[in-house]
Structure formats: C-alpha cells, structure tokens
mmCIF file of all heavy atoms in Angstrom:
data_model
loop_
_atom_site.group_PDB
_atom_site.id
_atom_site.type_symbol
_atom_site.label_atom_id
_atom_site.label_comp_id
_atom_site.label_asym_id
_atom_site.label_seq_id
_atom_site.Cartn_x
_atom_site.Cartn_y
_atom_site.Cartn_z
ATOM 1 N N MET S 16 92.199 69.229 114.767
ATOM 2 C CA MET S 16 92.324 69.716 116.148
ATOM 3 C C MET S 16 93.779 69.639 116.604
ATOM 4 O O MET S 16 94.472 68.678 116.323
ATOM 5 C CB MET S 16 91.451 68.866 117.075
ATOM 6 C CG MET S 16 91.301 69.484 118.456
ATOM 7 S SD MET S 16 90.467 68.349 119.572
ATOM 8 C CE MET S 16 88.942 68.084 118.692
ATOM 9 N N ASN S 17 94.232 70.659 117.284
ATOM 10 C CA ASN S 17 95.592 70.687 117.809
ATOM 11 C C ASN S 17 95.555 70.254 119.275
ATOM 12 O O ASN S 17 94.979 70.924 120.104
ATOM 13 C CB ASN S 17 96.156 72.111 117.683
ATOM 14 C CG ASN S 17 97.557 72.202 118.238
ATOM 15 O OD1 ASN S 17 98.083 71.235 118.766
ATOM 16 N ND2 ASN S 17 98.154 73.362 118.118
ATOM 17 N N ASN S 18 96.161 69.108 119.603
ATOM 18 C CA ASN S 18 96.098 68.604 120.973
ATOM 19 C C ASN S 18 97.346 68.895 121.779
ATOM 20 O O ASN S 18 97.526 68.368 122.856
ATOM 21 C CB ASN S 18 95.856 67.091 120.953
ATOM 22 C CG ASN S 18 94.439 66.777 120.544
ATOM 23 O OD1 ASN S 18 94.071 66.988 119.403
ATOM 24 N ND2 ASN S 18 93.646 66.297 121.463
ATOM 25 N N LYS S 19 98.252 69.738 121.266
ATOM 26 C CA LYS S 19 99.493 70.035 121.963
ATOM 27 C C LYS S 19 99.219 70.998 123.120
ATOM 28 O O LYS S 19 98.736 72.107 122.906
ATOM 29 C CB LYS S 19 100.466 70.666 120.969
ATOM 30 C CG LYS S 19 101.855 70.874 121.515
ATOM 31 C CD LYS S 19 102.799 71.202 120.354
ATOM 32 C CE LYS S 19 104.147 71.650 120.889
ATOM 33 N NZ LYS S 19 104.070 72.996 121.474
ATOM 34 N N ALA S 20 99.512 70.546 124.339
ATOM 35 C CA ALA S 20 99.223 71.369 125.509
ATOM 36 C C ALA S 20 100.199 72.527 125.623
ATOM 37 O O ALA S 20 101.398 72.353 125.445
ATOM 38 C CB ALA S 20 99.313 70.509 126.769
ATOM 39 N N ASN S 21 99.669 73.709 125.902
ATOM 40 C CA ASN S 21 100.517 74.859 126.245
ATOM 41 C C ASN S 21 100.477 74.999 127.765
ATOM 42 O O ASN S 21 99.469 75.455 128.325
ATOM 43 C CB ASN S 21 99.996 76.133 125.579
ATOM 44 C CG ASN S 21 100.840 77.342 125.938
ATOM 45 O OD1 ASN S 21 101.674 77.277 126.834
ATOM 46 N ND2 ASN S 21 100.616 78.438 125.247
ATOM 47 N N PRO S 22 101.565 74.615 128.471
ATOM 48 C CA PRO S 22 101.545 74.612 129.941
ATOM 49 C C PRO S 22 101.419 76.003 130.544
ATOM 50 O O PRO S 22 101.195 76.130 131.744
ATOM 51 C CB PRO S 22 102.884 73.963 130.305
ATOM 52 C CG PRO S 22 103.749 74.145 129.111
ATOM 53 C CD PRO S 22 102.855 74.154 127.913
ATOM 54 N N SER S 23 101.528 77.046 129.716
ATOM 55 C CA SER S 23 101.372 78.412 130.224
ATOM 56 C C SER S 23 99.916 78.847 130.273
ATOM 57 O O SER S 23 99.599 79.881 130.864
ATOM 58 C CB SER S 23 102.145 79.399 129.338
ATOM 59 O OG SER S 23 103.524 79.112 129.388
ATOM 60 N N ILE S 24 99.021 78.074 129.623
ATOM 61 C CA ILE S 24 97.600 78.446 129.603
ATOM 62 C C ILE S 24 96.775 77.273 130.110
ATOM 63 O O ILE S 24 96.439 76.357 129.355
ATOM 64 C CB ILE S 24 97.132 78.857 128.191
ATOM 65 C CG1 ILE S 24 98.025 79.957 127.612
ATOM 66 C CG2 ILE S 24 95.668 79.320 128.235
ATOM 67 C CD1 ILE S 24 97.672 80.350 126.176
ATOM 68 N N GLY S 25 96.481 77.251 131.394
ATOM 69 C CA GLY S 25 95.605 76.243 131.970
ATOM 70 C C GLY S 25 94.169 76.548 131.597
ATOM 71 O O GLY S 25 93.763 77.713 131.558
ATOM 72 N N CYS S 26 93.382 75.516 131.309
ATOM 73 C CA CYS S 26 91.980 75.709 130.936
ATOM 74 C C CYS S 26 91.222 74.419 131.174
ATOM 75 O O CYS S 26 91.737 73.328 130.921
ATOM 76 C CB CYS S 26 91.877 76.118 129.465
ATOM 77 S SG CYS S 26 90.162 76.402 128.965
ATOM 78 N N THR S 27 89.977 74.558 131.653
ATOM 79 C CA THR S 27 89.131 73.390 131.923
ATOM 80 C C THR S 27 87.941 73.307 130.977
ATOM 81 O O THR S 27 87.065 72.470 131.163
ATOM 82 C CB THR S 27 88.594 73.429 133.370
ATOM 83 O OG1 THR S 27 87.805 74.605 133.527
ATOM 84 C CG2 THR S 27 89.736 73.411 134.385
ATOM 85 N N VAL S 28 87.901 74.175 129.970
ATOM 86 C CA VAL S 28 86.726 74.249 129.084
ATOM 87 C C VAL S 28 86.870 73.218 127.963
ATOM 88 O O VAL S 28 87.358 73.516 126.868
ATOM 89 C CB VAL S 28 86.555 75.671 128.510
ATOM 90 C CG1 VAL S 28 85.253 75.767 127.715
ATOM 91 C CG2 VAL S 28 86.561 76.705 129.629
ATOM 92 N N GLN S 29 86.418 72.002 128.247
ATOM 93 C CA GLN S 29 86.595 70.915 127.281
ATOM 94 C C GLN S 29 85.718 71.068 126.049
ATOM 95 O O GLN S 29 85.932 70.390 125.047
ATOM 96 C CB GLN S 29 86.288 69.592 127.982
ATOM 97 C CG GLN S 29 87.190 69.379 129.179
ATOM 98 C CD GLN S 29 87.612 67.936 129.331
ATOM 99 O OE1 GLN S 29 87.019 67.023 128.783
ATOM 100 N NE2 GLN S 29 88.665 67.729 130.096
ATOM 101 N N GLN S 30 84.728 71.948 126.108
ATOM 102 C CA GLN S 30 83.839 72.154 124.962
ATOM 103 C C GLN S 30 84.456 73.058 123.903
ATOM 104 O O GLN S 30 83.873 73.278 122.841
ATOM 105 C CB GLN S 30 82.508 72.785 125.437
ATOM 106 C CG GLN S 30 81.674 71.889 126.326
ATOM 107 C CD GLN S 30 82.166 71.855 127.781
ATOM 108 O OE1 GLN S 30 83.072 72.582 128.181
ATOM 109 N NE2 GLN S 30 81.553 70.995 128.576
ATOM 110 N N CYS S 31 85.643 73.599 124.184
ATOM 111 C CA CYS S 31 86.318 74.486 123.235
ATOM 112 C C CYS S 31 87.184 73.676 122.273
ATOM 113 O O CYS S 31 87.874 72.737 122.689
ATOM 114 C CB CYS S 31 87.183 75.495 123.991
ATOM 115 S SG CYS S 31 88.084 76.607 122.892
ATOM 116 N N VAL S 32 87.157 74.067 121.003
ATOM 117 C CA VAL S 32 87.925 73.357 119.976
ATOM 118 C C VAL S 32 89.429 73.461 120.231
ATOM 119 O O VAL S 32 90.195 72.601 119.783
ATOM 120 C CB VAL S 32 87.540 73.878 118.570
ATOM 121 C CG1 VAL S 32 88.075 75.286 118.327
ATOM 122 C CG2 VAL S 32 88.012 72.928 117.484
ATOM 123 N N HIS S 33 89.867 74.489 120.954
ATOM 124 C CA HIS S 33 91.290 74.698 121.221
ATOM 125 C C HIS S 33 91.787 73.965 122.468
ATOM 126 O O HIS S 33 92.967 74.021 122.788
ATOM 127 C CB HIS S 33 91.597 76.191 121.371
ATOM 128 C CG HIS S 33 91.254 76.979 120.155
ATOM 129 N ND1 HIS S 33 91.791 76.704 118.924
ATOM 130 C CD2 HIS S 33 90.404 78.019 119.978
ATOM 131 C CE1 HIS S 33 91.292 77.565 118.035
ATOM 132 N NE2 HIS S 33 90.450 78.357 118.644
ATOM 133 N N HIS S 34 90.872 73.319 123.206
ATOM 134 C CA HIS S 34 91.285 72.649 124.435
ATOM 135 C C HIS S 34 92.126 71.412 124.118
ATOM 136 O O HIS S 34 91.796 70.645 123.208
ATOM 137 C CB HIS S 34 90.049 72.235 125.248
ATOM 138 C CG HIS S 34 90.371 71.808 126.639
ATOM 139 N ND1 HIS S 34 90.605 70.499 126.988
ATOM 140 C CD2 HIS S 34 90.538 72.539 127.768
ATOM 141 C CE1 HIS S 34 90.884 70.437 128.277
ATOM 142 N NE2 HIS S 34 90.854 71.652 128.783
ATOM 143 N N CYS S 35 93.199 71.235 124.872
ATOM 144 C CA CYS S 35 94.000 70.020 124.774
ATOM 145 C C CYS S 35 93.254 68.970 125.583
ATOM 146 O O CYS S 35 93.198 69.041 126.789
ATOM 147 C CB CYS S 35 95.383 70.270 125.364
ATOM 148 S SG CYS S 35 96.294 68.766 125.581
ATOM 149 N N GLN S 36 92.688 68.007 124.934
ATOM 150 C CA GLN S 36 91.697 67.140 125.581
ATOM 151 C C GLN S 36 92.266 66.273 126.691
ATOM 152 O O GLN S 36 91.562 65.962 127.646
ATOM 153 C CB GLN S 36 91.018 66.255 124.524
ATOM 154 C CG GLN S 36 90.254 67.068 123.475
ATOM 155 C CD GLN S 36 89.135 67.904 124.082
ATOM 156 O OE1 GLN S 36 88.347 67.404 124.882
ATOM 157 N NE2 GLN S 36 89.070 69.185 123.728
ATOM 158 N N LYS S 37 93.532 65.903 126.617
ATOM 159 C CA LYS S 37 94.085 64.963 127.594
ATOM 160 C C LYS S 37 94.393 65.602 128.934
ATOM 161 O O LYS S 37 94.338 64.961 129.970
ATOM 162 C CB LYS S 37 95.358 64.316 127.039
ATOM 163 C CG LYS S 37 95.090 63.458 125.812
ATOM 164 C CD LYS S 37 96.373 62.753 125.368
ATOM 165 C CE LYS S 37 96.297 62.342 123.912
ATOM 166 N NZ LYS S 37 97.228 63.042 123.050
ATOM 167 N N GLU S 38 94.796 66.886 128.915
ATOM 168 C CA GLU S 38 95.163 67.575 130.146
ATOM 169 C C GLU S 38 94.409 68.889 130.220
ATOM 170 O O GLU S 38 93.794 69.299 129.255
ATOM 171 C CB GLU S 38 96.675 67.843 130.175
ATOM 172 C CG GLU S 38 97.514 66.583 130.069
ATOM 173 C CD GLU S 38 98.966 66.913 129.805
ATOM 174 O OE1 GLU S 38 99.694 67.117 130.772
ATOM 175 O OE2 GLU S 38 99.334 67.008 128.630
ATOM 176 N N GLU S 39 94.491 69.572 131.371
ATOM 177 C CA GLU S 39 93.725 70.800 131.536
ATOM 178 C C GLU S 39 94.516 72.009 131.050
ATOM 179 O O GLU S 39 94.890 72.888 131.843
ATOM 180 C CB GLU S 39 93.290 70.952 132.997
ATOM 181 C CG GLU S 39 92.267 69.891 133.372
ATOM 182 C CD GLU S 39 91.543 70.186 134.664
ATOM 183 O OE1 GLU S 39 92.082 70.913 135.517
ATOM 184 O OE2 GLU S 39 90.430 69.666 134.828
ATOM 185 N N TYR S 40 94.792 72.018 129.730
ATOM 186 C CA TYR S 40 95.516 73.121 129.113
ATOM 187 C C TYR S 40 94.880 73.507 127.789
ATOM 188 O O TYR S 40 94.234 72.686 127.126
ATOM 189 C CB TYR S 40 96.973 72.726 128.846
ATOM 190 C CG TYR S 40 97.798 72.489 130.080
ATOM 191 C CD1 TYR S 40 98.263 71.223 130.388
ATOM 192 C CD2 TYR S 40 98.114 73.546 130.927
ATOM 193 C CE1 TYR S 40 99.018 70.998 131.526
ATOM 194 C CE2 TYR S 40 98.873 73.319 132.067
ATOM 195 C CZ TYR S 40 99.321 72.057 132.359
ATOM 196 O OH TYR S 40 100.067 71.831 133.481
ATOM 197 N N CYS S 41 95.145 74.755 127.401
ATOM 198 C CA CYS S 41 94.799 75.234 126.064
ATOM 199 C C CYS S 41 95.912 74.790 125.102
ATOM 200 O O CYS S 41 97.054 74.583 125.523
ATOM 201 C CB CYS S 41 94.701 76.760 126.098
ATOM 202 S SG CYS S 41 94.238 77.506 124.525
ATOM 203 N N SER S 42 95.578 74.667 123.827
ATOM 204 C CA SER S 42 96.590 74.266 122.837
ATOM 205 C C SER S 42 97.123 75.460 122.032
ATOM 206 O O SER S 42 98.041 75.296 121.238
ATOM 207 C CB SER S 42 95.999 73.229 121.884
ATOM 208 O OG SER S 42 94.946 73.791 121.141
ATOM 209 N N LEU S 43 96.538 76.639 122.232
ATOM 210 C CA LEU S 43 96.995 77.815 121.478
ATOM 211 C C LEU S 43 98.289 78.379 122.061
ATOM 212 O O LEU S 43 98.599 78.176 123.235
ATOM 213 C CB LEU S 43 95.922 78.911 121.512
ATOM 214 C CG LEU S 43 94.584 78.571 120.852
ATOM 215 C CD1 LEU S 43 93.607 79.733 121.028
ATOM 216 C CD2 LEU S 43 94.778 78.272 119.370
ATOM 217 N N ASP S 44 99.044 79.102 121.232
ATOM 218 C CA ASP S 44 100.258 79.781 121.705
ATOM 219 C C ASP S 44 99.895 80.993 122.555
ATOM 220 O O ASP S 44 100.613 81.355 123.484
ATOM 221 C CB ASP S 44 101.104 80.253 120.527
ATOM 222 C CG ASP S 44 101.734 79.078 119.790
ATOM 223 O OD1 ASP S 44 101.880 78.004 120.400
ATOM 224 O OD2 ASP S 44 102.058 79.242 118.609
ATOM 225 N N LYS S 45 98.783 81.646 122.213
ATOM 226 C CA LYS S 45 98.300 82.778 123.005
ATOM 227 C C LYS S 45 96.789 82.842 122.902
ATOM 228 O O LYS S 45 96.220 82.321 121.942
ATOM 229 C CB LYS S 45 98.925 84.096 122.530
ATOM 230 C CG LYS S 45 98.313 84.661 121.256
ATOM 231 C CD LYS S 45 98.898 86.013 120.905
ATOM 232 C CE LYS S 45 98.139 87.191 121.482
ATOM 233 N NZ LYS S 45 96.987 87.637 120.707
ATOM 234 N N ILE S 46 96.177 83.421 123.915
ATOM 235 C CA ILE S 46 94.733 83.638 123.896
ATOM 236 C C ILE S 46 94.467 85.104 124.170
ATOM 237 O O ILE S 46 95.367 85.838 124.623
ATOM 238 C CB ILE S 46 93.997 82.771 124.949
ATOM 239 C CG1 ILE S 46 94.486 83.107 126.362
ATOM 240 C CG2 ILE S 46 94.145 81.281 124.625
ATOM 241 C CD1 ILE S 46 93.602 82.564 127.472
ATOM 242 N N MET S 47 93.232 85.526 123.929
ATOM 243 C CA MET S 47 92.807 86.875 124.282
ATOM 244 C C MET S 47 91.723 86.768 125.349
ATOM 245 O O MET S 47 90.746 86.035 125.186
ATOM 246 C CB MET S 47 92.259 87.599 123.053
ATOM 247 C CG MET S 47 91.858 89.033 123.319
ATOM 248 S SD MET S 47 93.279 90.079 123.752
ATOM 249 C CE MET S 47 94.064 90.239 122.167
ATOM 250 N N VAL S 48 91.937 87.462 126.462
ATOM 251 C CA VAL S 48 90.950 87.506 127.531
ATOM 252 C C VAL S 48 90.290 88.876 127.525
ATOM 253 O O VAL S 48 90.969 89.900 127.345
ATOM 254 C CB VAL S 48 91.603 87.235 128.901
ATOM 255 C CG1 VAL S 48 90.591 87.398 130.026
ATOM 256 C CG2 VAL S 48 92.206 85.839 128.930
ATOM 257 N N GLY S 49 88.977 88.893 127.669
ATOM 258 C CA GLY S 49 88.238 90.158 127.689
ATOM 259 C C GLY S 49 87.168 90.130 128.754
ATOM 260 O O GLY S 49 87.149 89.237 129.612
ATOM 261 N N THR S 50 86.293 91.113 128.703
ATOM 262 C CA THR S 50 85.192 91.191 129.657
ATOM 263 C C THR S 50 83.926 91.640 128.948
ATOM 264 O O THR S 50 83.980 92.345 127.940
ATOM 265 C CB THR S 50 85.510 92.154 130.815
ATOM 266 O OG1 THR S 50 84.422 92.127 131.743
ATOM 267 C CG2 THR S 50 85.724 93.576 130.315
ATOM 268 N N HIS S 51 82.776 91.190 129.482
ATOM 269 C CA HIS S 51 81.475 91.612 128.966
ATOM 270 C C HIS S 51 80.846 92.635 129.907
ATOM 271 O O HIS S 51 79.689 92.999 129.734
ATOM 272 C CB HIS S 51 80.560 90.396 128.804
ATOM 273 C CG HIS S 51 80.460 89.564 130.053
ATOM 274 N ND1 HIS S 51 81.345 88.543 130.338
ATOM 275 C CD2 HIS S 51 79.627 89.656 131.110
ATOM 276 C CE1 HIS S 51 81.022 88.015 131.513
ATOM 277 N NE2 HIS S 51 79.993 88.674 132.002
ATOM 278 N N GLU S 52 81.602 93.080 130.920
ATOM 279 C CA GLU S 52 81.078 94.035 131.902
ATOM 280 C C GLU S 52 81.713 95.409 131.699
ATOM 281 O O GLU S 52 82.842 95.512 131.223
ATOM 282 C CB GLU S 52 81.416 93.559 133.328
ATOM 283 C CG GLU S 52 80.909 92.180 133.675
ATOM 284 C CD GLU S 52 79.438 92.161 134.040
ATOM 285 O OE1 GLU S 52 78.841 93.246 134.220
ATOM 286 O OE2 GLU S 52 78.886 91.057 134.146
ATOM 287 N N ALA S 53 80.997 96.442 132.104
ATOM 288 C CA ALA S 53 81.558 97.791 132.035
ATOM 289 C C ALA S 53 82.636 97.981 133.096
ATOM 290 O O ALA S 53 83.670 98.621 132.857
ATOM 291 C CB ALA S 53 80.446 98.818 132.233
ATOM 292 N N ASN S 54 82.399 97.400 134.292
ATOM 293 C CA ASN S 54 83.347 97.504 135.393
ATOM 294 C C ASN S 54 83.518 96.133 136.038
ATOM 295 O O ASN S 54 82.873 95.833 137.043
ATOM 296 C CB ASN S 54 82.856 98.517 136.441
ATOM 297 C CG ASN S 54 82.856 99.913 135.904
ATOM 298 O OD1 ASN S 54 83.899 100.474 135.582
ATOM 299 N ND2 ASN S 54 81.659 100.489 135.764
ATOM 300 N N PRO S 55 84.381 95.286 135.484
ATOM 301 C CA PRO S 55 84.539 93.931 136.030
ATOM 302 C C PRO S 55 85.037 93.941 137.471
ATOM 303 O O PRO S 55 85.934 94.711 137.822
ATOM 304 C CB PRO S 55 85.560 93.284 135.083
ATOM 305 C CG PRO S 55 86.204 94.410 134.355
ATOM 306 C CD PRO S 55 85.225 95.533 134.313
ATOM 307 N N THR S 56 84.417 93.092 138.313
ATOM 308 C CA THR S 56 84.764 93.045 139.738
ATOM 309 C C THR S 56 85.100 91.644 140.233
ATOM 310 O O THR S 56 85.476 91.476 141.395
ATOM 311 C CB THR S 56 83.594 93.574 140.591
ATOM 312 O OG1 THR S 56 82.428 92.815 140.268
ATOM 313 C CG2 THR S 56 83.346 95.053 140.339
ATOM 314 N N MET S 57 84.894 90.623 139.408
ATOM 315 C CA MET S 57 85.181 89.255 139.848
ATOM 316 C C MET S 57 85.518 88.401 138.634
ATOM 317 O O MET S 57 85.312 88.816 137.490
ATOM 318 C CB MET S 57 84.005 88.675 140.620
ATOM 319 C CG MET S 57 82.714 88.648 139.850
ATOM 320 S SD MET S 57 81.317 88.018 140.832
ATOM 321 C CE MET S 57 80.784 89.511 141.624
ATOM 322 N N ASP S 58 86.049 87.202 138.904
ATOM 323 C CA ASP S 58 86.510 86.367 137.789
ATOM 324 C C ASP S 58 85.388 86.039 136.813
ATOM 325 O O ASP S 58 85.622 85.906 135.610
ATOM 326 C CB ASP S 58 87.199 85.100 138.315
ATOM 327 C CG ASP S 58 86.317 84.226 139.191
ATOM 328 O OD1 ASP S 58 85.284 84.733 139.678
ATOM 329 O OD2 ASP S 58 86.659 83.050 139.390
ATOM 330 N N GLN S 59 84.152 85.944 137.317
ATOM 331 C CA GLN S 59 83.023 85.627 136.435
ATOM 332 C C GLN S 59 82.753 86.717 135.392
ATOM 333 O O GLN S 59 82.005 86.493 134.451
ATOM 334 C CB GLN S 59 81.731 85.412 137.254
ATOM 335 C CG GLN S 59 81.710 84.120 138.040
ATOM 336 C CD GLN S 59 82.260 84.290 139.450
ATOM 337 O OE1 GLN S 59 82.997 85.235 139.716
ATOM 338 N NE2 GLN S 59 81.918 83.384 140.339
ATOM 339 N N CYS S 60 83.349 87.880 135.571
ATOM 340 C CA CYS S 60 83.155 88.983 134.617
ATOM 341 C C CYS S 60 84.072 88.876 133.404
ATOM 342 O O CYS S 60 83.922 89.635 132.453
ATOM 343 C CB CYS S 60 83.413 90.319 135.301
ATOM 344 S SG CYS S 60 82.365 90.635 136.721
ATOM 345 N N THR S 61 85.024 87.948 133.444
ATOM 346 C CA THR S 61 86.001 87.863 132.360
ATOM 347 C C THR S 61 85.701 86.673 131.445
ATOM 348 O O THR S 61 85.081 85.698 131.861
ATOM 349 C CB THR S 61 87.436 87.729 132.909
ATOM 350 O OG1 THR S 61 87.558 86.498 133.614
ATOM 351 C CG2 THR S 61 87.765 88.888 133.842
ATOM 352 N N ASP S 62 86.123 86.780 130.211
ATOM 353 C CA ASP S 62 85.851 85.755 129.201
ATOM 354 C C ASP S 62 87.101 85.462 128.394
ATOM 355 O O ASP S 62 87.891 86.361 128.119
ATOM 356 C CB ASP S 62 84.798 86.260 128.204
ATOM 357 C CG ASP S 62 83.557 86.785 128.887
ATOM 358 O OD1 ASP S 62 82.843 85.983 129.491
ATOM 359 O OD2 ASP S 62 83.325 88.007 128.811
ATOM 360 N N CYS S 63 87.206 84.200 127.959
ATOM 361 C CA CYS S 63 88.215 83.876 126.956
ATOM 362 C C CYS S 63 87.619 84.194 125.589
ATOM 363 O O CYS S 63 86.664 83.554 125.152
ATOM 364 C CB CYS S 63 88.603 82.402 127.019
ATOM 365 S SG CYS S 63 89.795 81.995 125.712
ATOM 366 N N MET S 64 88.184 85.208 124.934
ATOM 367 C CA MET S 64 87.650 85.648 123.642
ATOM 368 C C MET S 64 88.137 84.743 122.510
ATOM 369 O O MET S 64 87.694 84.879 121.379
ATOM 370 C CB MET S 64 88.095 87.089 123.362
ATOM 371 C CG MET S 64 87.956 88.015 124.543
ATOM 372 S SD MET S 64 86.358 88.795 124.768
ATOM 373 C CE MET S 64 86.311 89.913 123.417
ATOM 374 N N SER S 65 89.048 83.819 122.834
ATOM 375 C CA SER S 65 89.556 82.886 121.822
ATOM 376 C C SER S 65 88.724 81.608 121.770
ATOM 377 O O SER S 65 88.971 80.738 120.940
ATOM 378 C CB SER S 65 91.012 82.533 122.125
ATOM 379 O OG SER S 65 91.805 83.701 122.144
ATOM 380 N N PHE S 66 87.722 81.502 122.659
ATOM 381 C CA PHE S 66 86.869 80.312 122.701
ATOM 382 C C PHE S 66 86.149 80.105 121.372
ATOM 383 O O PHE S 66 85.617 81.045 120.792
ATOM 384 C CB PHE S 66 85.822 80.452 123.813
ATOM 385 C CG PHE S 66 84.772 79.377 123.797
ATOM 386 C CD1 PHE S 66 84.992 78.161 124.408
ATOM 387 C CD2 PHE S 66 83.548 79.593 123.150
ATOM 388 C CE1 PHE S 66 84.012 77.164 124.391
ATOM 389 C CE2 PHE S 66 82.566 78.599 123.130
ATOM 390 C CZ PHE S 66 82.807 77.396 123.750
ATOM 391 N N GLN S 67 86.172 78.869 120.910
ATOM 392 C CA GLN S 67 85.352 78.465 119.761
ATOM 393 C C GLN S 67 84.746 77.111 120.106
ATOM 394 O O GLN S 67 85.468 76.186 120.505
ATOM 395 C CB GLN S 67 86.197 78.326 118.495
ATOM 396 C CG GLN S 67 86.587 79.660 117.879
ATOM 397 C CD GLN S 67 87.302 79.434 116.557
ATOM 398 O OE1 GLN S 67 88.466 79.073 116.530
ATOM 399 N NE2 GLN S 67 86.578 79.600 115.463
ATOM 400 N N VAL S 68 83.434 77.006 119.949
ATOM 401 C CA VAL S 68 82.765 75.771 120.355
ATOM 402 C C VAL S 68 83.205 74.615 119.467
ATOM 403 O O VAL S 68 83.400 74.785 118.266
ATOM 404 C CB VAL S 68 81.230 75.941 120.365
ATOM 405 C CG1 VAL S 68 80.669 76.061 118.949
ATOM 406 C CG2 VAL S 68 80.572 74.791 121.127
ATOM 407 N N LYS S 69 83.395 73.466 120.121
ATOM 408 C CA LYS S 69 83.778 72.253 119.406
ATOM 409 C C LYS S 69 82.527 71.711 118.717
ATOM 410 O O LYS S 69 81.472 71.582 119.336
ATOM 411 C CB LYS S 69 84.315 71.241 120.429
ATOM 412 C CG LYS S 69 85.025 70.071 119.840
ATOM 413 C CD LYS S 69 85.877 69.362 120.883
ATOM 414 C CE LYS S 69 85.056 68.847 122.046
ATOM 415 N NZ LYS S 69 85.874 68.131 123.032
ATOM 416 N N GLN S 70 82.620 71.431 117.450
ATOM 417 C CA GLN S 70 81.440 70.945 116.694
ATOM 418 C C GLN S 70 81.264 69.442 116.851
ATOM 419 O O GLN S 70 82.218 68.728 116.931
ATOM 420 C CB GLN S 70 81.578 71.292 115.218
ATOM 421 C CG GLN S 70 81.651 72.783 114.964
ATOM 422 C CD GLN S 70 80.369 73.516 115.298
ATOM 423 O OE1 GLN S 70 79.287 72.927 115.337
ATOM 424 N NE2 GLN S 70 80.472 74.806 115.572
HETATM 425 S S1 LIG M 8 90.792 79.181 123.624
HETATM 426 FE FE1 LIG M 8 90.213 79.808 125.707
HETATM 427 S S2 LIG M 8 88.455 78.503 126.257
HETATM 428 FE FE2 LIG M 8 89.480 77.594 124.474
HETATM 429 S S3 LIG M 8 90.864 76.069 125.340
HETATM 430 FE FE3 LIG M 8 92.024 77.969 125.037
HETATM 431 S S4 LIG M 8 91.882 79.060 127.012
HETATM 432 FE FE4 LIG M 8 90.305 77.474 126.983
#
C-alpha cells in the first residue's frame, strides 16, 4: 500500500486501497473521475473510477 498523501487529491474514502490512511488524501499521482449517469446534475452522479476496494 502506498501511504504517501497527494495534497492535490482530497478523499475521504478509507475503504479504497489508494487512500492515504493517516490524512484525508488520495495517494495516487492522478485519478480518473467519471459518471454513471447520462446527464449528471449533482455531485452524487460522479464517481472515482480509480477506486479499488481494500482487501
Ligand atoms: S482512488 Fe479515488 S476513491 Fe481511491 S483514494 Fe484515490 S480519490 Fe479516493
């Protein structure tokens, strides 16, 4: 697991393998954000496509 915080990517999803566990940041250099909606209208319509569940 990479625990190095990337201060440019804030994240609270502690269940993700890429989450920096000590602070509310992602540890990746970049992420991909997408949507599962045809016409997204609110933040709940967007997803982090780089999410991988922590085993
Ligand atoms: S990959 Fe996405 S969900 Fe996972 S820690 Fe990074 S920003 Fe959060």
